[in-house]
Amino acid sequence: MQEKLREHIEKIVKLTDEEFSFVSQHFITKKFKKHQFLIQESDDVKYAYFIISGLLKLVYTDESLKQHIVSFAMEDWWESDYYAYFTQTKATMSLECLEDTEVLCFTLDDYKDLCDNSPKMLRFFLEKANFGFLASQRRILYWMTSNPKERYEQLLKQYPSLFQRVPKSLIASYLGVSRETLSRLSS
């Protein structure tokens, strides 16, 4: 499991065995079952998660109790309610397992210690944050300028395995369309 983390980090920065030993001591392993929550709305958000195996959905529930899927997260991805994590406020979103899931997680104090004491990890987290920001901007612009059919085709092209792992009702929710509309889009 730690090797998957090392491979992931070393896509951006190379670490010596000693450096990785320092990094790995900041993470703990957790296992969750399908339908189990890592975070629930109004929880304290103690961890950010690196997904070793499994699949998660990050959900925002609005005032009318309608659920909006913010993201799916699978192997080799990071996920949390980052606003609550970094501001140490209560969660406004829930993070739920769609499959049995294994993660490596770390606290905000661990994150700060890694950034303060490892220039390589500071660079790694900066690059991950930058690329996450860029992806969010692209998604927002694409959502604003594309129709449901285009959004469906883009999701299918970008993450084809998601369609084998996620019920169509959740894909419809993520795309902001009804289940019936999704059926029409996929035919």
Side-chain angles (χ1 to χ4, degrees):
M1 208 172 336
Q2 294 285 337
E3 280 308 306
K4 287 187 179 187
L5 177 65
R6 186 170 188 166
E7 288 170 17
H8 179 75
I9 293 168
E10 289 190 342
K11 290 175 187 171
I12 296 175
V13 294
K14 299 295 180 211
L15 299 172
T16 65
D17 289 343
E18 183 179 322
E19 289 168 331
F20 184 70
S21 177
F22 173 72
V23 169
S24 66
Q25 69 190 12
H26 290 80
F27 289 83
I28 60 172
T29 303
K30 289 187 177 262
K31 293 181 181 185
F32 299 90
K33 294 287 185 194
K34 183 176 181 176
H35 301 301
Q36 195 172 355
F37 286 88
L38 285 72
I39 301 169
Q40 287 187 284
E41 188 179 333
S42 79
D43 282 354
D44 290 324
V45 178
K46 297 177 185 173
Y47 301 109
Y49 301 93
F50 175 68
I51 295 100
I52 298 296
S53 64
L55 181 65
L56 305 166
K57 68 174 179 175
L58 185 65
V59 176
Y60 174 76
T61 304
D62 67 22
E63 294 166 0
S64 65
L65 302 181
K66 181 178 179 190
Q67 291 192 336
H68 304 271
I69 297 178
V70 176
S71 65
F72 295 105
M74 59 185 81
E75 295 83 4
D76 214 33
W77 290 15
W78 296 83
E79 194 59 89
S80 190
D81 178 336
Y82 283 112
Y83 183 85
Y85 176 75
F86 282 111
T87 62
Q88 293 294 278
T89 55
K90 299 290 184 188
T92 59
M93 295 183 275
S94 298
L95 185 59
E96 181 183 0
C97 296
L98 296 174
E99 300 172 351
D100 290 352
T101 300
E102 194 165 5
V103 296
L104 290 171
C105 50
F106 68 138
T107 66
L108 184 60
D109 287 340
D110 288 323
Y111 169 82
K112 289 177 180 178
D113 188 52
L114 284 169
C115 290
D116 288 346
N117 294 297
S118 173
K120 289 180 180 180
M121 288 306 294
L122 179 61
R123 179 169 166 242
F124 169 79
F125 288 127
L126 178 61
E127 291 227 6
K128 294 303 286 181
N130 285 344
F131 283 113
F133 179 75
L134 295 174
S136 291
Q137 275 191 338
R138 278 192 12 234
R139 180 176 173 208
I140 291 166
L141 288 173
Y142 198 74
W143 249 239
M144 291 169 51
T145 60
S146 63
N147 63 46
K149 177 77 170 168
E150 292 168 330
R151 291 196 298 266
Y152 170 82
E153 289 171 353
Q154 176 65 23
L155 185 64
L156 181 60
K157 179 181 169 187
Q158 197 168 9
Y159 304 110
S161 70
L162 201 56
F163 288 77
Q164 315 318 300
R165 298 172 74 179
V166 175
K168 289 185 178 180
S169 59
L170 295 182
I171 291 187
S173 175
Y174 178 77
L175 293 172
V177 299
S178 69
R179 175 74 172 81
E180 296 75 23
T181 300
L182 180 65
S183 291
R184 284 193 303 275
L185 295 175
S186 61
S187 58

